[in-house]
Amino acid sequence: MATEKPRSLYLSVSSICLRITLGVAATVLTGAHAFAQSTDDQIKALQAQISQQQAQIAQQQQQLNQLAAQAGAAPAATTSASGPQPHGVLYNSAAVSVTLGGFIEAASLYRNHNEEDDIGSKYNLTSSGVLLPITEQYGTPEFRESARQSRLSLLAQGNDDYRTLSAYYEGDFLGAAPTANSTESNSYTPRIRQIYLAYDDNGDGLHFLAGQAWSLVTQEKYGMAPRNENVPLTIDAQYNVGFNWSRNPQLRVVKDIGEDAHVGISLESPQANIQAGSGAGYSAGNANSTTAGGFASTEAGNGLLASGGAFSLDELPDVVAKISMDPGWGHYELYGLGRAFHTITEPGGAGTPVFGHDSFGGGIGGGVLLPLMPDKKLDLGLTFLVGQGIGRYGSGQMIDAIANPISGAPDPIPEAQGLASLVARPTKSLDLYLYGGLEQAQATDVQTIAGKFYGYGNPNYINTGCETVGSAAATCTADPQSLWQIQPGLWYRMYQGKAGVFMVGASYSYEHATAFSGVGGAPSATMSIAMLSFR
């Protein structure tokens, strides 16, 4: 019996120890499991944060790349005076960011002849452009102040791995509604400059754009991406004679060829300026007998197109196919442009059969942008466009086509356009620029039929009254032949920092326009413009 108590005590103690051990083990295991679960959750949370941060870094890097491209490998906020300035991110998440840009401008301009126009000058030889003495306001200078070029832009971008979806809007106030005036409350309307969506598949090197943007004929600073156009730094919203551009709705596809070459094609909204080439102002009794019953190259708008406007009779889009290369020194481009023109005639008069007439034009263009000094201290730019019916794509807005005197069909006018530029950046605060451009047309369809004169630039057209103030319009035909312009200017950034940029700009423009020689000579005119801008 004496031996049973120690054994029983041993079993009891052993049982208690076992229970304590099992309890401790269970607690340890539970704690270990909880710790492992907690660690796993923390790891997953950290991985999610890292993935989110990587997406944000990729998004910000893409924005930096775009800004660098806009500025030609320099900070956009310190070098781009004409384009929208990125000031701040309104919204930013792992997937989408929304960025605000633009500027407020207060500009003043002085013209030695009164165009009765705002900040966008007319460079052609017309009664509302570069003026001849026959025009009433020729002897009156023009001073104007304007805030209408002030601009707002919004960029929304979303990234999914190597794919990017973006939407861009850019507008100013250079639209003029019928109620717009400068008397008391000017009531000028907002105007769309650009509004488009873009999809970029950087893995396959494929890029798609749909909406209103700069034409593909416009020179880029690098590559072939939107918001990267080499737009002149001028204060004048019409830029400079010889600059090739339009901003119109389009469908564009671009394919990367490696890292340094790109090919693209764009179908762009058409519009043409076709001249009848006969009628009052050409020669006495010069009515086009072939199409006297009715000739049309434009029609007034209906519905949502302004009824006071004249819209060309277009059937096909303008087509631009382009290749660009960036081999390491400089940027190089070459493109082809195709255009279609349409007119209608009713030779027998109202109620008789109507005939449609088609013709085709276009040209070849290109350019180079060369860094003559390191760090973008000095850049040389050259662009050209030669062809037939290309007037629309030059800042001078020459005539695209002339009506054939026999058939009434639109015959495209041969023309050459070119622009040279020098942009210097001696300091981070100062940009200096000089632009020189030329646009020149050839005489077309010059004919004499039954003693009457037809065509564009016919030497028998009457120019005797072009140099006399108040002469009848019929004594001055003055078909424009050539335009050339030089324009120096500067931008000085008085402040650039976290709050944005405050800059002042000044420019001077001299233009010379010449008409084809006719009876009475070859009239010409000049225009001088001085501009000052605070942005």
Side-chain angles (χ1 to χ4, degrees):
M1 297 295 294
T3 57
E4 288 294 326
K5 287 184 178 180
R7 183 178 180 184
S8 175
L9 182 60
Y10 171 78
L11 291 174
S12 298
V13 174
S14 298
S15 176
I16 292 171
C17 291
L18 179 61
R19 289 177 183 178
I20 293 173
T21 302
L22 291 174
V24 171
T27 302
V28 171
L29 289 173
T30 301
H33 177 72
F35 176 76
Q37 183 66 39
S38 174
T39 303
D40 186 58
D41 291 342
Q42 290 178 355
I43 291 173
K44 289 181 179 179
L46 288 173
Q47 288 176 337
Q49 290 178 1
I50 291 171
S51 297
Q52 184 177 6
Q53 290 173 353
Q54 287 176 337
Q56 291 175 346
I57 290 170
Q59 184 179 18
Q60 291 169 355
Q61 183 61 48
Q62 185 181 41
Q63 292 173 355
L64 289 173
N65 291 340
Q66 290 173 343
L67 295 179
Q70 281 184 329
T78 62
T79 60
S80 178
S82 63
Q85 304 300 311
H87 293 317
V89 176
L90 298 181
Y91 173 80
N92 190 19
S93 70
V96 177
S97 68
V98 180
T99 306
L100 172 68
F103 56 79
I104 303 297
E105 180 182 66
S108 301
L109 66 86
Y110 176 88
R111 299 184 180 102
N112 65 332
H113 304 301
N114 198 319
E115 283 193 357
E116 289 293 337
D117 206 345
D118 207 282
I119 203 72
S121 303
K122 294 183 179 67
Y123 295 141
N124 209 339
L125 193 65
T126 66
S127 59
S128 59
V130 180
L131 305 178
L132 289 163
I134 190 175
T135 311
E136 294 176 352
Q137 65 269 30
Y138 175 83
T140 302
E142 177 180 17
F143 174 79
R144 197 170 299 278
E145 294 181 324
S146 176
R148 296 174 61 198
Q149 195 170 199
S150 299
R151 193 175 306 169
L152 173 68
S153 69
L154 287 172
L155 172 64
Q157 285 184 305
N159 294 287
D160 183 6
D161 198 6
Y162 53 83
R163 293 163 294 186
T164 301
L165 187 64
S166 59
Y168 184 67
Y169 165 80
E170 179 183 288
D172 59 23
F173 301 88
L174 286 172
T179 57
N181 65 77
S182 298
T183 305
E184 187 172 28
S185 179
N186 53 48
S187 307
Y188 294 113
T189 54
R191 178 185 73 151
I192 293 175
R193 287 173 57 89
Q194 300 188 76
I195 183 166
Y196 61 81
L197 61 89
Y199 172 73
D200 299 285
D201 187 333
N202 297 308
D204 292 334
L206 190 63
H207 312 275
F208 175 78
L209 180 147
Q212 180 162 312
W214 290 91
S215 169
L216 201 57
V217 308
T218 307
Q219 187 186 45
E220 309 282 349
K221 296 176 182 175
Y222 180 90
M224 206 181 293
R227 305 188 304 280
N228 185 38
E229 296 81 13
N230 187 28
V231 179
L233 302 179
T234 60
I235 301 171
D236 201 308
Q238 193 59 18
Y239 308 109
N240 200 95
V241 167
F243 176 49
N244 300 127
W245 67 284
S246 77
R247 286 189 303 265
N248 277 286
Q250 59 189 271
L251 297 175
R252 180 193 301 183
V253 178
V254 174
K255 182 69 173 68
D256 298 339
I257 305 175
E259 297 181 356
D260 301 326
H262 314 269
V263 294
I265 186 169
S266 181
L267 306 180
E268 304 187 1
S269 183
Q271 191 71 199
N273 189 355
I274 302 174
Q275 187 168 290
S278 62
Y282 291 86
S283 66
N286 183 26
N288 189 332
S289 59
T290 305
T291 59
F295 166 83
S297 61
T298 62
E299 292 290 349
N302 287 298
L304 297 180
L305 291 177
S307 59
F311 300 89
S312 57
L313 306 173
D314 300 303
E315 298 180 326
L316 295 171
D318 290 357
V319 180
V320 185
K322 185 176 184 178
I323 181 171
S324 71
M325 293 172 288
D326 299 273
W329 185 75
H331 173 72
Y332 307 83
E333 296 184 356
L334 185 66
Y335 63 87
L337 168 66
R339 306 198 65 196
F341 306 101
H342 186 78
T343 58
I344 56 176
T345 58
E346 196 175 12
T352 61
V354 176
F355 299 93
H357 310 277
D358 297 298
S359 64
F360 298 91
I364 296 175
V368 298
L369 184 59
L370 304 175
L372 301 184
M373 295 179 64
D375 300 324
K376 309 297 291 181
K377 293 293 186 182
L378 182 63
D379 288 345
L380 169 67
L382 299 170
T383 63
F384 74 94
L385 175 60
V386 294
Q388 296 182 324
I390 60 174
R392 175 200 192 193
Y393 288 93
S395 280
Q397 288 292 283
M398 301 282 272
I399 302 297
D400 288 308
I402 192 78
N404 185 287
I406 297 176
S407 66
D411 288 339
I413 296 173
E415 188 181 341
Q417 304 172 0
L419 178 70
S421 65
L422 278 175
V423 178
R425 303 174 183 89
T427 72
K428 293 182 178 181
S429 299
L430 180 63
D431 293 346
L432 304 171
Y433 61 80
L434 174 64
Y435 295 96
L438 170 71
E439 299 180 28
Q440 183 159 337
Q442 292 185 14
T444 305
D445 280 348
V446 174
Q447 299 186 43
T448 302
I449 302 174
K452 299 175 182 178
F453 309 118
Y454 302 92
Y456 185 77
N458 194 314
N460 294 292
Y461 290 157
I462 299 174
N463 292 332
T464 54
C466 294
E467 304 294 334
T468 305
V469 176
S471 297
T475 64
C476 182
T477 302
D479 282 341
Q481 180 182 23
S482 67
L483 317 170
W484 63 265
Q485 179 185 17
I486 57 172
Q487 188 168 189
L490 63 85
W491 288 101
Y492 177 70
R493 283 167 289 281
M494 302 173 68
Y495 168 84
Q496 47 188 337
K498 293 181 180 180
V501 178
F502 177 56
M503 62 176 67
V504 59
S507 69
Y508 170 75
S509 166
Y510 179 84
E511 186 196 352
H512 188 275
T514 304
F516 283 97
S517 180
V519 177
S524 64
T526 63
M527 177 75 77
S528 292
I529 309 172
M531 289 190 170
L532 180 68
S533 172
F534 292 92
R535 294 183 182 178

